[in-house]
Every structure is written in structure tokens, then in C-alpha cells.
């Protein structure tokens, strides 16, 4: 029989005896002990892969020996992050299941990536996505696209680092940055030591941990709702919170300002994921770690099945939390991203709450380690090694580890500066979407056309980025449209520029 659960927090003061207070303190120490043991264990597990890191291929691609299912789970972990774990329940708490429309777009994107990009990535031995740009256009565009990725991933990952502080502040009762530093340093340690192999296998462990923790917390929540699952579904249906699809078409500005319509979700999700999984080193590096293109495709499509399940799971959790606060009349925590982690810490059985909080931190560490390795690989392979080719393999391997440390410090700094966002999930996706349009547009030009030159492609990228910056800061257009609009702008301007610039070159 499981230990008794602490009830949902209600916000009402309760008279407690000294014995009860002492018991709660002991339970808290038990939870903190579980978290500490997990952090030490996962760090040791990741670090022990150092002995297999003898070359850049080992450090950045795991020696291309990792099984496809492990790569698939690693893709899920990288796609998830703490933003998903704490941000998704908040979406259904205040809204409905409309976010799943974006997830259906993720599936379309995987079809596009499999057919368009993967055949190019598995011709020869590539270390980064941006080597493909040099092969098609030239070294200058390789550096432009690689630099765009470095900026994109640093800003988006900074928001994710900040998301850790939400969980830490609930666990420790403070918003101290020192605790974030500990998480970043532990992640840095095993990423520095074990490279991509450590990233993938710790991703596998951590994905099972945070999904398992979510299933446990959902079970406990339902046990504390009068009427259980049936009552939650009845109330949610009456309130319109089970709605998934929204096919409404309205006047242009209103249509574009709605984040989770069918059109914004499916088209936006498709373009967003085609960009993130097909052009960004964070994901492409995992695909390149597969033994061959067939394994890479299995990993990519297998990851979508898990992604759909886990997004549905976290949306259901938000629904149950909404029902609880409806029943009790208590005020939910603010901001909304605190709702799920506060429930875990205040309501799950001792030990279980510590394990689930550790699972949320696991999602953060998983994504951070992936970002560090991909940022280091892009910096070394697309910039340093391009210019300094005369060094031996051991020199580049030492530099890769040093670069990992430097990026860790940069992400920590950005995380500290990324506070005061309204929704960590939407902030992270929004930042990425601004830059993804230009990246995806130029990659599509690279694999679909032969007429556009490097100069024309750069002009298109600048136009796509400029349009998305305007949309973000001067219009109410939702982030779900940014990648599509940025991609179309990049392609259109590049093709138009080629009629002028490329004709001049021909003369």
C-alpha cells in the first residue's frame, strides 16, 4: 500500500502540532535526499562514458553506434525540456487541448524531413547540419547559418535554464540562483566528460523518469478528486476544455493572432518542427549519430509517438488540477507555470514527490546537456576547424571540451537575465520561431533549387529574420505563424534576389 498522500494545498492555514511539523520536516529531508541521490547518480552515469571518447566522431556523434530506439528517446528528451513539463499543464488549466493541433503538425514535419533532408545528411560524413550549406552554397553561408543557430539556441536555452529556477524556488522556498548554478555545473560535468554518448543515454534514463513521474502524479491527483476520472471529464466537457480542433477562419489579423487554431497549429507545428529537427544542430546531431538513414528515420518517427503521448499526459494533468481548484475555490499559484510543480511538492507521498521533482530537473538537465554538446560541435566544426585545419584530433577534442564549458557559462548568464516571462513554454518556442523561418527557408533553397547563389540566399535570410522581428515586436501575430511566414519570405526574397544579383555575377 502506498504511503498516505499530502492533500492538495488549499491556501488555508491549519493548526498543526509540533509533532506534525517535525514529521513534515523529516519528510522534506527525505525528498531532498532522493533528489540529491538522483543528481549524483545521473552525473556519475553520464561521466563514465569518458573512456569511449577518443575522437571528434565519438564526442559529437557517439561513434555512430547508438541504437535507433535510444536516439528516438533522446529526441523526445531534447524536444521536451522543463518548459514542456511545467508549461503544458498550465495551457490546459487555463484553456483546452488545442495545443495538440501543434503536435499533429510535428508528424507532418517528420515526413518532410525524412524525404527532403535526410538523404542529403547521410551523403558523406557530416558532423553538423551547416556543412550541407557549404556543400550547396559556400563557406560564408555555412557560417551564417551556424551563427544563426548559436544565437537561436543560446537565447532559447537561456529561457529553459531560467525554468529550472521555478522548480528550485518551490523545493527550497527561495528563488536562489545558486541552486541553478549547481544544476548547470552537474550537467556540464557529464557533458564535458562523456560527450554525445553521455547525452543520449542520460536522455533515455531521464525521459523514463519524468514520464513515469507524471503518470504517478496523475494517479495521485485522480485519487483526490471526488468522482475520479469520470467527474473530471464531465466537468471538463461542460466547460469546453476537451476541445482539440478549432477550424474557425476569421478576418486576417484575428485569424493570425490565435495561437492554437487548426491552421496555426498544424501548419505552424509542421514548419516549426521541420526547422528544429531538420536544420538545427541540436536535433540533426542526434540523427547523424544513427548507424544509417533507416535507423535515423525509425528514431524520428518513433519519437513522435512518445511526444504525442506525453503532451496528452501533461494536458490531462492540467485538466485535473483545474478541477481541483474549481472544487476547493482556492486561488491557484501564480504564475501559471508553478501550478504543477507546487502540486508535486505539496501533495505527493514523501519520497515520490522528491523523485518526481528530480524527474523535472532531469528534463532540464537532459535538454541542457544536448544544447551544450550541439553548441560546442557547431563552434568547433563550423568555425574553428574550418579556419585551423593543421591540428591533430586530440587538439580538437580538448577544444571541444573547453568550448562546452564556455557555453555553459554563457547559458547560465542568459538564464539569469531571462526572468519575468509570462509563460516559459511559449517564450522558449517564440524565441526559436523568430529565427527558424530564415534557417528553414535557406535549407529548403539548398535542397530544392540550384539557381540561387550564396549572396541571394543571405539576402533572403536577412529578409526572413527582419519580417519575423517585425511580427514579434510590432504586431499581435501569434508565434505559431512565425516560422511559416519567415520561411516563405526567405524563399521569395532569395528567388527574387537571384534574378538581379546572380544575373550581375553572370556578366
Amino acid at each position: 500500500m502506498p504511503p498516505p498522500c499530502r492533500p492538495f494545498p488549499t491556501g488555508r492555514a491549519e493548526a498543526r502540532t509540533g509533532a506534525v511539523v517535525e514529521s513534515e520536516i523529516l519528510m522534506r529531508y527525505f525528498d531532498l535526499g532522493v533528489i540529491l541521490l538522483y543528481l549524483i547518480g545521473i552525473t556519475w552515469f553520464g561521466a563514465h562514458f569518458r573512456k569511449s571518447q577518443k575522437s571528434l566522431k565519438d564526442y559529437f556523434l557517439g561513434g555512430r553506434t547508438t541504437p535507433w530506439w535510444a536516439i528516438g528517446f533522446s529526441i523526445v528528451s531534447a524536444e521536451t525540456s522543463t518548459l514542456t513539463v511545467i508549461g503544458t499543464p498550465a495551457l490546459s488549466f487555463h484553456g483546452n487541448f488545442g495545443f495538440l493541433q501543434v503536435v499533429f503538425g510535428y508528424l507532418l514535419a517528420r515526413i518532410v524531413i525524412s524525404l527532403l533532408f535526410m538523404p542529403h545528411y547521410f551523403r558523406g560524413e557530416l558532423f553538423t547540419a551547416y556543412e550541407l550549406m557549404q556543400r550547396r552554397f559556400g563557406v560564408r553561408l555555412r557560417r551564417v547559418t551556424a551563427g544563426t543557430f548559436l544565437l537561436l539556441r543560446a537565447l532559447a536555452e537561456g529561457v529553459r535554464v531560467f525554468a529550472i529556477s521555478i522548480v528550485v524556488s518551490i523545493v527550497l522556498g527561495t528563488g536562489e540562483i545558486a541552486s541553478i548554478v549547481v544544476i548547470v555545473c552537474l550537467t556540464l560535468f557529464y557533458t564535458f566528460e562523456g560527450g554525445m554518448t553521455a547525452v543520449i543515454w542520460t536522455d533515455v534514463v531521464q525521459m523514463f523518469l519524468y514520464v513515469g513521474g507524471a503518470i504517478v502524479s496523475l494517479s495521485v491527483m485522480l485519487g483526490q478528486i471526488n468522482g475520479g476520472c469520470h467527474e473530471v471529464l464531465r466537468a471538463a466537457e461542460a466547460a469546453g476544455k476537451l476541445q482539440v480542433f478549432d477550424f474557425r477562419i476569421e478576418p486576417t489579423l484575428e485569424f493570425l493572432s490565435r495561437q492554437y487554431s487548426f491552421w496555426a497549429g498544424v501548419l505552424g507545428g509542421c514548419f516549426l518542427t521541420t526547422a528544429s529537427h531538420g536544420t538545427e544542430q541540436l536535433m540533426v546531431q542526434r540523427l547523424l549519430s544513427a548507424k544509417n538513414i533507416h535507423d535515423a528515420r525509425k528514431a524520428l518517427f518513433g519519437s513522435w509517438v512518445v511526444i504525442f503521448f506525453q503532451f496528452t499526459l501533461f494536458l490531462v494533468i492540467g485538466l485535473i488540477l483545474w478541477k481541483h481548484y474549481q472544487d476547493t475555490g482556492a486561488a491557484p499559484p501564480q504564475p501559471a507555470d508553478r501550478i504543477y510543480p507546487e502540486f508535486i511538492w505539496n501533495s505527493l507521498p514523501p519520497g515520490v514527490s522528491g523523485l518526481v521533482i528530480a524527474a523535472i530537473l532531469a528534463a532540464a538537465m537532459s535538454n541542457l546537456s544536448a544544447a551544450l554538446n550541439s553548441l560546442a560541435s557547431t563552434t568547433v566544426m563550423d568555425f574553428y576547424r574550418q579556419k585551423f585545419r593543421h591540428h591533430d584530433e586530440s587538439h580538437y577534442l580538448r577544444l571541444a571540451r573547453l568550448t562546452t564549458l564556455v557555453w555553459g557559462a554563457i547559458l547560465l548568464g542568459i538564464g539569469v537575465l531571462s526572468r519575468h516571462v509570462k509563460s516559459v513554454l511559449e517564450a522558449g518556442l517564440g524565441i526559436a520561431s523568430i529565427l527558424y523561418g530564415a534557417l528553414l527557408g535557406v535549407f529548403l533553397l539548398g535542397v530544392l533549387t540550384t539557381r540561387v547563389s550564396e549572396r541571394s540566399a543571405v539576402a533572403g535570410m536577412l529578409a526572413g529574420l527582419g519580417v519575423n522581428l517585425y511580427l514579434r515586436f510590432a504586431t499581435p501575430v501569434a508565434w505559431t505563424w512565425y516560422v511559416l511566414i519567415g520561411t516563405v519570405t526567405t524563399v521569395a526574397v532569395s528567388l527574387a534576389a537571384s534574378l538581379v544579383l546572380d544575373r550581375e555575377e553572370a556578366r
Side-chain angles (χ1 to χ4, degrees):
M1 179 177 293
C5 300
R6 290 163 278 186
F8 274 106
T10 62
R12 294 188 294 269
E14 299 176 359
R16 297 180 297 172
T17 65
V20 171
V21 171
E22 184 177 345
S23 175
E24 288 186 356
I25 292 173
L26 288 175
M27 288 191 295
R28 286 296 185 228
Y29 278 126
F30 183 57
D31 285 330
L32 290 171
V34 170
I35 294 171
L36 181 62
L37 284 175
Y38 165 75
L39 294 177
I40 293 172
I42 199 67
T43 303
W44 171 85
F45 175 72
H48 96 279
F49 288 103
R50 179 187 176 99
K51 59 187 177 183
S52 64
Q53 309 305 302
K54 296 180 174 61
S55 67
L56 287 178
K57 183 177 178 180
D58 294 331
Y59 194 74
F60 288 140
L61 300 178
R64 285 203 167 112
T65 59
T66 309
W68 70 266
W69 56 266
I71 294 172
F73 286 138
S74 181
I75 290 172
V76 174
S77 287
E79 197 167 355
T80 303
S81 84
T82 303
L83 305 186
T84 303
V85 177
I86 69 175
T88 308
L91 295 179
S92 57
F93 185 95
H94 289 292
N96 53 32
F97 278 29
F99 187 79
L100 286 179
Q101 295 169 117
V102 179
V103 182
F104 286 113
Y106 293 176
L107 178 59
L108 291 179
R110 282 164 163 80
I111 297 172
V112 174
I113 293 166
S114 178
L115 295 176
L116 283 186
F117 293 137
M118 277 195 187
H120 293 275
Y121 285 138
F122 281 87
R123 288 175 192 159
E125 185 174 83
L126 301 185
F127 281 83
T128 75
Y130 314 109
E131 292 177 73
L132 180 61
M133 291 296 94
Q134 179 177 351
R135 185 187 294 171
R136 166 62 178 83
F137 292 106
V139 67
R140 184 172 58 173
L141 193 60
R142 174 182 180 178
R143 289 172 180 164
V144 170
T145 52
T148 301
F149 161 71
L150 294 178
L151 176 63
L152 179 157
R153 184 43 46 201
L155 291 175
E157 206 60 39
V159 175
R160 290 174 172 176
V161 169
F162 158 68
I164 304 173
S165 69
I166 295 176
V167 179
V168 170
S169 66
I170 291 169
V171 173
L172 300 179
T174 67
E176 63 226 303
I177 296 170
S179 296
I180 307 173
V181 173
V182 171
I183 298 295
V184 173
C185 288
L186 289 174
T187 309
L188 256 177
F189 179 71
Y190 75 70
T191 308
F192 174 89
E193 293 288 332
M196 193 61 184
T197 305
V199 170
I200 289 176
W201 286 109
T202 54
D203 278 354
V204 172
V205 173
Q206 291 170 153
M207 193 218 73
F208 278 104
L209 185 58
Y210 69 72
V211 172
I215 293 172
V216 170
S217 62
L218 183 146
S219 176
V220 172
M221 288 180 198
L222 283 177
Q224 298 186 27
I225 297 288
N226 291 329
C229 182
H230 175 76
E231 179 58 25
V232 171
L233 293 176
R234 185 202 62 77
E237 185 175 11
K241 297 183 75 66
L242 297 181
Q243 179 182 353
V244 175
F245 297 107
D246 180 356
F247 295 102
R248 287 177 294 164
I249 298 179
E250 300 164 318
T252 305
L253 195 56
E254 293 178 31
F255 179 64
L256 293 178
S257 64
R258 279 194 292 116
Q259 293 181 339
Y260 303 123
S261 68
F262 175 79
W263 315 105
V266 173
L267 291 176
C270 178
F271 275 78
L272 173 68
T273 304
T274 302
S276 65
H277 291 47
T279 72
E280 193 187 351
Q281 178 66 3
L282 181 75
M283 292 296 184
V284 174
Q285 189 174 2
R286 282 164 167 73
L287 299 177
L288 292 173
S289 299
K291 297 175 184 177
N292 51 54
I293 190 172
H294 304 295
D295 276 9
R297 283 173 171 155
K298 286 191 287 186
L300 188 63
F301 285 102
S303 68
W304 182 84
V305 176
V306 182
I307 284 290
F308 181 82
F309 168 77
Q310 75 171 19
F311 270 114
T312 304
L313 175 65
F314 287 120
L315 288 169
V316 169
I317 286 172
L319 204 63
I320 299 171
L321 288 168
W322 166 81
K323 182 65 171 74
H324 159 72
Y325 284 102
Q326 286 283 309
D327 290 347
T328 62
Q334 294 295 331
D337 295 317
R338 297 179 66 93
I339 294 170
Y340 179 46
E342 282 207 6
F343 159 76
I344 293 170
W345 192 238
N346 292 317
S347 301
L348 290 186
V352 176
S353 60
L355 191 63
V356 178
I357 288 292
I360 295 178
L361 295 177
M365 294 175 70
S366 171
N367 214 269
L368 180 58
S369 65
L372 289 168
N373 195 264
S374 61
L375 287 165
S377 64
T378 299
T379 303
V380 173
M381 303 304 297
D382 292 311
F383 289 96
Y384 185 85
R385 197 181 187 190
Q386 268 292 107
K387 195 168 185 179
F388 304 101
R389 295 176 173 273
H390 60 281
H391 297 291
D392 59 22
E393 193 82 353
S394 61
H395 170 83
Y396 295 120
L397 189 57
R398 287 193 301 272
L399 181 66
R401 290 197 168 99
L402 176 61
T403 307
T404 301
L405 294 177
V406 172
W407 277 112
I410 292 172
L411 294 186
L412 181 61
I414 296 174
V416 173
L417 298 174
S418 298
R419 291 171 288 182
H420 314 302
V421 297
K422 182 179 178 182
S423 165
V424 289
L425 177 62
E426 292 175 350
L429 292 174
I431 290 171
S433 296
I434 291 173
L435 293 166
Y436 276 151
L439 267 180
L440 179 56
V442 79
F443 268 75
L444 288 174
L445 288 167
V447 300
L448 295 176
T449 72
T450 56
R451 57 177 285 190
V452 177
S453 70
E454 188 176 42
R455 281 203 304 168
S456 299
V458 171
M461 280 193 72
L462 292 175
L465 178 59
V467 166
N468 274 353
L469 286 172
Y470 173 77
L471 293 175
R472 169 62 181 84
F473 294 106
T475 74
V477 174
W479 65 266
T480 40
W481 291 103
Y482 293 172
V483 183
L484 189 157
I485 295 172
T487 301
V488 171
T489 302
T490 300
V491 171
V493 171
S494 295
L495 291 173
S498 71
L499 297 177
V500 179
L501 298 178
D502 299 350
R503 186 176 298 173
E504 291 179 354
E505 279 188 2
R507 291 175 184 171

